[in-house]
Amino acid sequence: MAAPTSKSKIFSKIFTFPFDYLDKKVLSNKSEPVCIVAVVGASRLSWCHRKSLHLNSLLHMPIFKNDLAENNTDINSNPNKKDEDVEIECYNDEQNRVIYLHLTSLHDTNMLAQACSRSDESIDHDDPHGWCHEMEFKYARALLFLFHISHVLLFVRPTCTFNMSIVRLFRTLDTIRQKVLPSLSDVLQATPGVCKDWVNAGRLCSPRVLFLFENCNERIIADARKELSVRSKYRSTKMAMYKKLQHSLEDQIYRILRKSRVITNISANSLFAVPVNQEYVCVDVGGAKMALDQETNLLRYLDGRCSPSGTPILNPANSEPPQSLKSFLMPHISLALSHGFDDNVTRHPTPVHFELPTCQTWFDVANRLYKFFLEEQTEPRTRAHFNSFRSMLEVEQRFSENRCAKVLPIATGTYQEGLPSHYVKSVHETKLAQARRVFQHHARGPATSRFARQLSEECEKYWKAGRQLCEEISLTGQHCINELHRLPEEAAGDADRSLPLMHHSSNVKGLNACNCGRTQANRDDPFNVKAANYDFYQTVESSCCAELQHYDFPVFRASTAHATAATVAKAPPTRKASKGDSRDHTQGSMSLGPSLSQTEDEDEEDVEEEVEDECSPLTEKPKPLEAVDEVVVEQVSTTEYLEGMLHSESPSGLLPRFPHWSLVCLGAANLYNPATGLDQHGFLHGSNYLLPWELQLKVPECKERWPAVGESSIRKDKQKLKKVTKGRQRHSWVS
């Protein structure tokens, strides 16, 4: 294995903030003054391109990590480093006395992809805007930190247009910088090696801001050259067109920053400055060539890893970085290391503060300021400033909150308009949906979802504040008109004791007869089966038919105080009996009359099923009526009862808690007259007759079948016709 070269040693010295883990003994230039250059901004929407590629090409080494390789970690790496949404990488170029800082955030494609991969854990899907605002706040705090510890800041744009939204961010940073200056001076004063001017200013200098525009394709230059050739006689060169584009961008940016008062004549009063007699805009000519395809990047990375030095290379050895970037950045670095920056534009000379710290002092100060700007503050005054900082950044959030707070009372009034004193849940949901439509029509911005939930909570709170109507529905489909209440039998239960005690009532009454049918009385709308089938008749019976003879139906008699309803499986649907199954039916079975639910086709099938091969008379005799009283239902369970009424498909051994039927003897059989029916009040017209029943019997098969309806009369007519014809024939023959 070959020994590592000096370049590999330099390659290993990559740090990330904070520097608590850093061993300053590895810094060989800790007593030399250094220049601080920070690279910020956004990257292209490409996995193989990052802002740090410009620094890697400038240093002829892949110093900063890329998406093809693992994180460059060694003994100087942060062992406690976690997945952060904002990260600052640091590289100490000892040979050139420059410290490069690289800010990565959600404006970088790889960081955005990582954040999306863990979105299920970190993002609240009910409020995704809150997560976005939090990330922007972290990015702004990191920018404010870099403005205090850097000499030069290089803003990278993935396009050749200036982002106007960054102007508002600059003004916000300048406002907060002035507010936190007293607290920041206290932190610097407690740091050894910091001079008084540095403490008073709170930063190294008024940093210079440079702009790098990428992805300036050939089409833009070609269009500009074509337009210029129309206006001028002389044909411009390609490089001249790039220079013209740079100068045009410089003029636009300077006018924008001056009009918005981001920069002033005195650089010490501004957040940053732009150079007066030097270029501060660079259009990347070779940017399109640097964005190689994926296969080429992978092959070059593998080739570098397999080289004797063991270091991946980005470009071939004989290639040079783009001359435009090097010639653009290095004059500013050289000026900072030699004389410092004086970017004041005044008639009279003004003192300028410019601090060129030693490497060790800068690391100490940067570590303290990182904790001040990017970690939570415990001091109330500083915390209040950062809360104000957050509020100033969230302009859309504040607008949305103010707008929604103004619309919320309107939506609440829409809900409360026209409501009765008490209402059910369906009315509540209908009015709530109407209020939501009004709210959604007027509300705007990211706070809409939060205020929509607040609207639902307020409307539900208003409904539950004594305005709930009982949700119970009677057996006839009528709602209970009482407010939400408890039943008398729930007085000792777990129900809400603040609710009043009362019975269900729908204010609907019906006329019903007693068990014998002689007495009629008004009955309240029943809400359960017991009230409908048992309670009312027991009440009326005491004044009418209590002395009559009753048949006692078997009911459940519990042997324990904790009897429960039995779980009864649902009976499978019964199939229609076939012709072969008719033999198994009871010969003496009885059914309702033929008029109610049978069609003519079914009648014909029944006739065919009844005609069998056997010609024997009825073999079974019907049981006498007295035998009914002798039937005894064996009660198997004394701990479980049948929920509902007893019917033909009920499981054996289960009985209801009360009888659902009533059988009363009114008197002797001669009370019924087949012609006039039963002479008693309470019957509807024509309903005081016994119901017709059909008894299905087996009859012997005969050679001659019974004639159909009308068939006998037709046969008689035919016989008469034959006799007349024969008489005429005889009369004719005699004559």
Side-chain angles (χ1 to χ4, degrees):
M1 178 70 69
T5 61
S6 59
K7 285 188 176 182
S8 64
K9 292 182 181 178
I10 297 176
F11 173 68
S12 66
K13 295 180 182 179
I14 300 175
F15 315 104
T16 56
F17 284 88
F19 298 137
D20 294 336
Y21 63 92
L22 180 63
D23 185 8
K24 295 185 178 59
K25 294 180 181 179
V26 301
L27 301 176
S28 60
N29 62 337
K30 57 183 177 181
S31 60
E32 296 181 359
V34 290
C35 176
I36 316 301
V37 178
V39 178
V40 298
S43 65
R44 298 181 192 175
L45 192 62
S46 173
W47 67 272
C48 61
H49 183 85
R50 299 183 67 208
K51 304 188 304 295
S52 58
L53 289 179
H54 298 287
L55 295 178
N56 292 341
S57 62
L58 186 64
L59 298 169
H60 297 271
M61 288 291 292
I63 300 299
F64 295 93
K65 63 184 180 181
N66 54 62
D67 293 327
L68 295 176
E70 298 290 336
N71 294 351
N72 302 325
T73 57
D74 64 340
I75 58 174
N76 298 322
S77 299
N78 190 345
N80 301 322
K81 180 180 178 298
K82 301 179 181 179
D83 292 335
E84 298 290 344
D85 299 307
V86 175
E87 182 183 13
I88 301 176
E89 299 172 324
C90 175
Y91 167 67
N92 182 18
D93 187 0
E94 299 175 355
Q95 183 178 1
N96 297 319
R97 298 188 300 160
V98 180
I99 295 178
Y100 293 97
L101 304 178
H102 178 221
L103 174 62
T104 58
S105 64
L106 294 185
H107 295 278
D108 296 87
T109 305
N110 61 326
M111 296 291 286
L112 181 61
Q114 293 176 11
C116 293
S117 64
R118 58 178 187 270
S119 60
D120 293 338
E121 303 174 359
S122 58
I123 299 178
D124 183 9
H125 295 280
D126 293 335
D127 187 19
H129 297 282
W131 178 80
C132 295
H133 291 154
E134 183 65 25
M135 296 302 103
E136 289 295 332
F137 181 55
K138 289 182 179 180
Y139 175 72
R141 293 176 69 169
L143 270 183
L144 187 60
F145 165 67
L146 294 179
F147 272 111
H148 284 81
I149 63 170
S150 304
H151 296 104
V152 178
L153 278 89
L154 179 64
F155 274 83
V156 181
R157 283 285 299 159
T159 61
C160 57
T161 57
F162 182 71
N163 185 13
M164 291 295 298
S165 64
I166 202 173
V167 176
R168 180 171 59 85
L169 178 60
F170 286 155
R171 298 190 61 177
T172 305
L173 294 176
D174 191 22
T175 303
I176 297 300
R177 178 186 68 85
Q178 299 175 11
K179 290 183 178 181
V180 301
L181 182 57
S183 301
L184 186 60
S185 300
D186 296 340
V187 176
L188 293 175
Q189 192 172 6
T191 306
V194 178
C195 63
K196 185 177 180 180
D197 293 339
W198 191 355
V199 172
N200 294 333
R203 52 182 178 172
L204 297 175
C205 63
S206 180
R208 280 188 176 183
V209 170
L210 312 179
F211 298 92
L212 173 62
F213 295 93
E214 299 178 334
N215 200 22
C216 184
N217 51 36
E218 300 291 339
R219 183 177 59 82
I220 298 178
I221 300 300
D223 293 344
R225 292 180 64 185
K226 183 178 180 181
E227 182 180 357
L228 188 62
S229 62
V230 175
R231 299 179 182 179
S232 177
K233 302 178 183 179
Y234 305 99
R235 184 172 297 177
S236 301
T237 62
K238 183 177 180 180
M239 188 56 63
M241 292 305 304
Y242 276 107
K243 287 294 182 181
K244 185 175 181 61
L245 178 60
Q246 289 181 5
H247 295 163
S248 176
L249 287 173
E250 284 183 358
D251 295 339
Q252 294 178 20
I253 293 173
Y254 184 80
R255 286 195 298 268
I256 291 172
L257 297 180
R258 287 286 295 183
K259 289 289 185 180
S260 59
R261 299 184 180 274
V262 175
I263 59 176
T264 57
N265 292 335
I266 302 177
S267 60
N269 298 334
S270 305
L271 177 66
F272 61 87
V274 292
V276 180
N277 299 320
Q278 288 181 284
E279 294 180 348
Y280 56 89
V281 171
C282 175
V283 178
D284 186 12
V285 179
K289 297 179 181 180
M290 289 180 61
L292 304 173
D293 54 52
Q294 301 179 8
E295 292 80 5
T296 305
N297 274 286
L298 183 60
L299 290 175
R300 289 188 177 182
Y301 172 73
L302 293 176
D303 181 62
R305 298 296 289 181
C306 297
S307 63
S309 62
T311 304
I313 58 177
L314 193 67
N315 296 316
N318 57 356
S319 65
E320 293 291 334
Q323 187 65 28
S324 60
L325 179 61
K326 185 175 183 180
S327 61
F328 170 70
L329 187 59
M330 293 308 297
H332 299 278
I333 297 176
S334 302
L335 182 62
L337 291 173
S338 58
H339 299 88
F341 300 145
D342 184 5
D343 296 324
N344 293 331
V345 185
T346 57
R347 296 180 180 179
H348 306 286
T350 305
V352 177
H353 166 70
F354 187 89
E355 187 71 25
L356 201 64
T358 62
C359 183
Q360 182 175 0
T361 303
W362 182 85
F363 271 101
D364 292 337
V365 172
N367 197 32
R368 291 173 181 263
L369 294 188
Y370 179 86
K371 297 179 180 179
F372 178 81
F373 284 106
L374 293 176
E375 294 182 0
E376 293 297 330
Q377 294 294 325
T378 57
E379 185 183 0
R381 183 179 60 175
T382 308
R383 187 190 305 171
H385 291 327
F386 280 106
N387 290 338
S388 176
F389 186 22
R390 181 193 297 271
S391 178
M392 294 172 66
L393 288 174
E394 298 175 353
V395 178
E396 297 87 354
Q397 184 72 18
R398 286 188 288 116
F399 166 77
S400 179
E401 289 178 354
N402 295 335
R403 177 69 177 176
C404 293
K406 186 180 296 185
V407 176
L408 185 61
I410 301 176
T412 306
T414 303
Y415 171 82
Q416 298 176 2
E417 183 180 1
L419 283 175
S421 59
H422 298 86
Y423 48 97
V424 294
K425 185 177 181 180
S426 59
V427 178
H428 162 72
E429 292 178 348
T430 302
K431 295 293 291 184
L432 180 59
Q434 182 181 357
R436 283 175 177 171
R437 287 194 296 269
V438 173
F439 178 80
Q440 294 291 342
H441 180 72
H442 296 282
R444 297 291 184 273
T448 303
S449 58
R450 178 163 59 88
F451 276 84
R453 291 193 298 269
Q454 184 178 347
L455 172 64
S456 301
E457 293 173 359
E458 289 186 4
C459 293
E460 188 168 357
K461 184 179 179 181
Y462 178 83
W463 175 50
K464 291 184 177 180
R467 296 176 178 85
Q468 284 182 279
L469 194 66
C470 182
E471 299 287 342
E472 198 68 24
I473 300 177
S474 68
L475 299 182
T476 60
Q478 304 294 329
H479 270 285
C480 177
I481 63 171
N482 294 332
E483 60 179 309
L484 192 63
H485 60 91
R486 293 179 294 162
L487 295 175
E489 53 267 22
E490 298 176 354
D494 298 333
D496 190 358
R497 297 186 180 276
S498 62
L499 298 178
L501 287 172
M502 62 180 69
H503 291 281
H504 294 302
S505 175
S506 62
N507 270 3
V508 176
K509 295 184 180 296
L511 189 63
N512 290 80
C514 64
N515 289 329
C516 66
R518 295 171 180 173
T519 303
Q520 295 180 348
N522 290 327
R523 182 178 70 172
D524 292 333
D525 197 9
F527 282 81
N528 54 69
V529 179
K530 187 173 183 294
N533 292 345
Y534 184 74
D535 292 342
F536 169 76
Y537 298 100
Q538 289 297 108
T539 304
V540 180
E541 186 182 83
S542 60
S543 60
C544 178
C545 46
E547 302 298 332
L548 298 178
Q549 183 180 359
H550 292 72
Y551 173 75
D552 295 332
F553 289 90
V555 294
F556 172 75
R557 301 187 184 279
S559 61
T560 178
H562 302 286
T564 58
T567 303
V568 180
K570 187 177 180 181
T574 57
R575 63 182 181 87
K576 187 175 180 180
S578 60
K579 295 182 180 180
D581 297 336
S582 61
R583 294 187 181 134
D584 300 332
H585 292 170
T586 305
Q587 296 178 357
S589 62
M590 300 170 61
S591 63
L592 281 175
S595 60
L596 299 179
S597 61
Q598 294 179 347
T599 60
E600 294 181 359
D601 297 335
E602 292 175 348
D603 293 338
E604 294 177 0
E605 286 186 10
D606 293 340
V607 172
E608 293 177 1
E609 291 174 1
E610 291 170 1
V611 178
E612 301 293 339
D613 297 336
E614 300 177 1
C615 299
S616 60
L618 183 63
T619 57
E620 292 187 3
K621 296 181 180 180
K623 296 180 180 179
L625 295 178
E626 291 79 2
V628 179
D629 297 335
E630 299 177 1
V631 177
V632 178
V633 180
E634 183 182 358
Q635 180 175 347
V636 177
S637 176
T638 58
T639 58
E640 292 183 340
Y641 57 88
L642 180 65
E643 186 73 21
M645 64 176 59
L646 191 66
H647 51 86
S648 59
E649 296 182 357
S650 299
S652 61
L654 293 178
L655 295 176
R657 305 188 71 176
F658 56 90
H660 293 264
W661 306 93
S662 177
L663 183 58
V664 181
C665 180
L666 299 180
N670 56 9
L671 294 178
Y672 178 76
N673 186 357
T676 60
L678 185 64
D679 187 12
Q680 181 177 317
H681 298 288
F683 288 101
L684 295 177
H685 179 68
S687 63
N688 58 335
Y689 293 92
L690 293 177
L691 295 177
W693 288 74
E694 183 182 85
L695 185 63
Q696 297 180 359
L697 303 174
K698 287 186 178 181
V699 296
E701 184 178 1
C702 301
K703 295 181 179 180
E704 294 184 2
R705 62 181 182 86
W706 289 94
V709 178
E711 187 176 354
S712 58
S713 60
I714 296 175
R715 186 178 298 175
K716 290 180 181 179
D717 294 340
K718 288 182 178 180
Q719 291 177 357
K720 291 180 180 180
L721 184 60
K722 284 183 179 181
K723 291 180 180 180
V724 172
T725 305
K726 289 181 180 180
R728 288 178 179 177
Q729 290 177 355
R730 282 196 304 269
H731 179 73
S732 167
W733 178 74
V734 172
S735 61

